[in-house]
Amino acid sequence: MPTLDLPAPDPARLAEAREAIAAARRVVVLTGAGMSAESGIATFRDALTGLWSRFNPEELASVEGFCAAPERVWDWYAERREGVRRAQPNAGHEALAAWARAHPGCMCVVTQNVDDLHQRAGQPDVVRLHGDILAVQWLDESACRKRPRCDPAQAAEASPGRPPRCAHCGNLARPGVVWFGEALPTDALDRAQRLADECEVMLVVGTSGAVWPAAGLAGRARRGGARVVIVNPDESEIDGQAHLVLRGTAARVLPRLLGAAVGV
Ligand code: APR
């Protein structure tokens, strides 16, 4: 069924989820690519279409792929960065940010997304598990001998090559995202796991639950005693971890779910 033709979610389940959120002091929201779908940002797999369909994910999102074809990988991310810059937060991002502002200190968003739409919607507390597509970092963090170290963002400005290369140490700049085979940022993952252990409600929005360790956070929250609510128009691999599944899209369900909670 086409995603946007879905009926509104079951009113009884929506009311039950609203009650759980209204009673919670600590709400964690785990978001995936579906959160940004209604903002027009392709999911990772959808971004592998058109010109890029002839490459597999590892060729475009890994250190090996970048070293084998730096310009190709740099250009794929440049195209996706432009898409992020053109996109706007959708009603789902706005509803989450409004709830968080109305309940200071009660909500944290843990996102797998590398766009900045939660932040642009004014979400106060966001944990990025997979990095930031608008950021750059050095390919070899240990190569720069200068002190203070050269700034990759300045290098990207100063020598806008494809990819930019540091004029001092010859280091290559790369996108600031987590690639296949790379570990997630330790501090982000540690905080996300702690938040999952301590929350009363985990709201899971727009993720297939296919990629670990992010996919393990819903089960971790449930084992910690939290109510787990999933918002997704389709079945996900972690539906079994949920107490409640709301079949619908982020931009249509979240305002209904959170709007009443902020008393608007
Ligand atoms: N609202 C809510 N959910 C949606 C919407 C929408 N409008 N549209 C699609 N979805 C759901 C899909 O049904 C799917 O379950 O969003 C999910 C997107 O799944 P993926 O494309 O697998 O994205 P994600 O779960 O975030 O992938 C995790 O894997 O691709 C890598 O690093 C990348 O962060 C990404 C990670």
Side-chain angles (χ1 to χ4, degrees):
M1 175 188 287
T3 297
L4 297 180
D5 296 346
L6 280 172
D10 173 62
R13 288 193 184 167
L14 199 58
E16 189 181 340
R18 264 207 299 263
E19 276 168 36
I21 291 170
R25 294 288 307 143
R26 287 167 296 185
V27 176
V28 173
V29 187
L30 173 65
T31 63
M35 181 75 230
S36 299
E38 285 153 293
S39 296
I41 293 182
T43 63
F44 180 90
R45 290 154 187 85
D46 294 347
L48 288 163
T49 53
L51 280 176
W52 307 105
S53 58
R54 63 185 187 278
F55 304 110
N56 65 48
E58 284 71 17
E59 288 178 281
L60 293 172
S62 70
V63 173
E64 297 73 18
F66 181 73
C67 293
E71 279 190 16
R72 174 198 297 160
V73 173
W74 184 262
D75 289 351
W76 183 57
Y77 278 93
E79 190 175 292
R80 291 176 63 202
R81 264 197 301 278
E82 281 320 300
V84 167
R85 290 196 177 102
R86 281 196 304 271
Q88 292 302 321
N90 61 54
H93 295 104
E94 304 292 353
L96 288 172
W99 195 95
R101 287 194 295 268
H103 301 78
C106 294
M107 177 183 279
C108 177
V109 168
V110 175
T111 189
Q112 300 171 84
N113 297 338
V114 293
D115 63 53
D116 62 344
L117 296 185
H118 284 302
Q119 293 85 347
R120 280 161 55 194
Q123 192 74 39
D125 187 6
V126 180
V127 176
R128 286 180 174 279
L129 292 179
H130 293 167
D132 177 357
I133 198 167
L134 300 179
V136 287
Q137 64 190 58
W138 290 128
L139 176 64
D140 177 355
E141 289 291 351
S142 62
C144 187
R145 297 277 177 257
K146 272 174 62 60
R147 291 295 175 268
R149 285 153 45 89
C150 303
D151 174 356
Q154 280 178 4
E157 292 281 319
S159 56
R162 292 171 40 233
R165 185 182 288 273
C166 178
H168 301 286
C169 54
N171 216 336
L172 275 180
R174 52 160 281 187
V177 297
V178 177
W179 275 338
F180 286 99
E182 293 186 311
L184 271 60
T186 312
D187 53 347
L189 182 56
D190 288 350
R191 181 160 185 239
Q193 291 174 332
R194 224 174 23 257
L195 287 165
D197 292 339
E198 296 163 359
C199 66
E200 280 104 43
V201 171
M202 176 172 277
L203 189 52
V204 180
V205 184
T207 182
S208 60
V211 174
W212 289 70
L217 292 171
R220 189 171 179 131
R222 184 173 180 130
R223 288 190 299 278
R227 297 285 287 162
V228 177
V229 179
I230 285 183
V231 176
N232 195 323
D234 308 305
E235 197 172 334
S236 80
E237 295 185 27
I238 49 175
D239 279 14
Q241 303 296 342
H243 296 96
L244 277 170
V245 175
L246 303 178
R247 277 286 169 254
T249 68
R252 295 183 66 192
V253 171
L254 292 179
R256 287 181 172 86
L257 181 61
L258 299 166
V262 296
V264 292

